[in-house]
Amino acid sequence: MVFAKRNRTIHFGEPRRKRSGIRKRLFRWASILVLLGLGWMLFALAQIGSIERNPSVVTELAQPADVGIVLGAAMWGDAPSPGLRERLEQSLQDYESGKFKLFLLTGGLDTPKSNFTEAEGMAIYLEQHGVPRDKMLLENKATSTYENLKFSQAIMNERGLTSALIITHTYHGNRSLEIAKSLNYADPKLSLKKSEVLKPIPNTFREILAYSKWKLDQLALALGLE
């Protein structure tokens, strides 16, 4: 509808058309972002699942590794959580079958009020299962997988240890291997445990988020921002 007033033409339909155009552009960009997000999630999921086909995952080793690095996980009070116990049981099997010489237990305090670090909690558990303390090295400060492997590498370097078998869960294996390689571990190997106690769907979703964060951290490291 058009009215003439004082030689001006007023088009009442124009603001509505502009609003409609803005909404369409916003919807288009939102759709693109959603598709990109879904695409990234599928990519991350594929990377996480690809680890079982990676030659770094071993069942036998020709020579025992210098250390078996048991990556930390949550403590439940003063004892390892069920998930962490699974990693410890895997490490015991590997140690008893001669796959590594020394345990390297890594993980700091879960909370400021915790009585033991993750590494200390693991050491207590292993000692209760017959492992002598002189077969354990403890790293008590790490709060992430990157720090687990970085700080463990420093301990290895101090002691002249060069080879490592990294012990963790299957879902965690790909990220752990990528981090180890970024830190220039010498031919790192993996021993993986498929969890029977962790809920698969929420755990996988958390790992997708953790893997996404790692890729951002990796980019920052490559650019010298960290």
Side-chain angles (χ1 to χ4, degrees):
M1 185 181 298
V2 179
F3 293 97
K5 185 178 181 182
R6 295 184 181 179
N7 299 322
R8 287 192 306 170
T9 303
I10 302 173
H11 297 268
F12 288 100
E14 283 185 1
R16 185 177 299 173
R17 285 196 295 271
K18 287 181 180 179
R19 288 194 297 271
S20 176
I22 291 171
R23 283 197 295 269
K24 287 180 180 178
R25 286 194 293 273
L26 289 173
F27 178 77
R28 187 182 303 120
W29 281 109
S31 299
I32 291 171
L33 290 174
V34 168
L35 289 173
L36 287 173
L38 289 173
W40 173 257
M41 288 181 66
L42 291 173
F43 169 77
L45 191 60
Q47 294 300 107
I48 293 166
S50 70
I51 192 60
E52 294 183 83
R53 301 185 296 276
N54 194 297
S56 295
V57 179
V58 297
T59 54
E60 300 293 336
L61 286 173
Q63 296 292 330
D66 290 335
V67 296
I69 301 177
V70 188
L71 297 181
M75 294 281 290
W76 281 12
D78 293 343
S81 64
L84 184 52
R85 286 202 302 272
E86 285 186 321
R87 296 183 187 184
L88 290 165
E89 289 298 325
Q90 182 73 19
S91 73
L92 283 168
Q93 292 176 23
D94 291 339
Y95 177 69
E96 290 165 1
S97 62
K99 292 180 185 175
F100 62 88
K101 301 172 186 175
L102 295 171
F103 289 83
L104 206 172
L105 311 172
T106 171
L109 290 170
D110 282 351
T111 71
K113 295 182 179 179
S114 298
N115 292 321
F116 301 107
T117 66
E118 293 171 3
E120 290 168 340
M122 288 192 278
I124 293 169
Y125 183 91
L126 291 173
E127 194 170 28
Q128 290 170 347
H129 287 74
V131 179
R133 275 290 182 131
D134 62 4
K135 294 296 182 181
M136 305 180 209
L137 303 173
L138 274 63
E139 183 289 303
N140 289 303
K141 296 181 179 179
T143 59
S144 67
T145 303
Y146 181 80
E147 289 184 351
N148 285 148
L149 291 166
K150 182 178 180 180
F151 299 165
S152 294
Q153 186 182 48
I155 292 173
M156 291 175 64
N157 291 340
E158 288 171 4
R159 294 174 175 263
L161 306 170
T162 58
S163 56
L165 178 67
I166 300 167
I167 301 159
T168 189
H169 281 102
T170 303
Y171 74 86
H172 190 218
N174 186 76
R175 180 161 55 99
S176 302
L177 183 62
E178 285 193 16
I179 292 171
K181 288 182 174 180
S182 77
L183 291 167
N184 297 316
Y185 271 70
D187 192 24
K189 300 299 184 184
L190 293 176
S191 175
L192 301 179
K193 169 67 178 178
K194 188 169 288 187
S195 181
E196 298 175 3
V197 299
L198 300 173
K199 295 179 180 179
I201 293 176
N203 201 60
T204 300
F205 183 70
R206 282 195 298 270
E207 182 58 23
I208 289 172
L209 294 178
Y211 183 76
S212 302
K213 181 182 181 302
W214 154 240
K215 299 310 284 185
L216 291 173
D217 290 343
Q218 187 180 37
L219 177 61
L221 288 166
L223 296 174
L225 301 177
E226 288 192 7

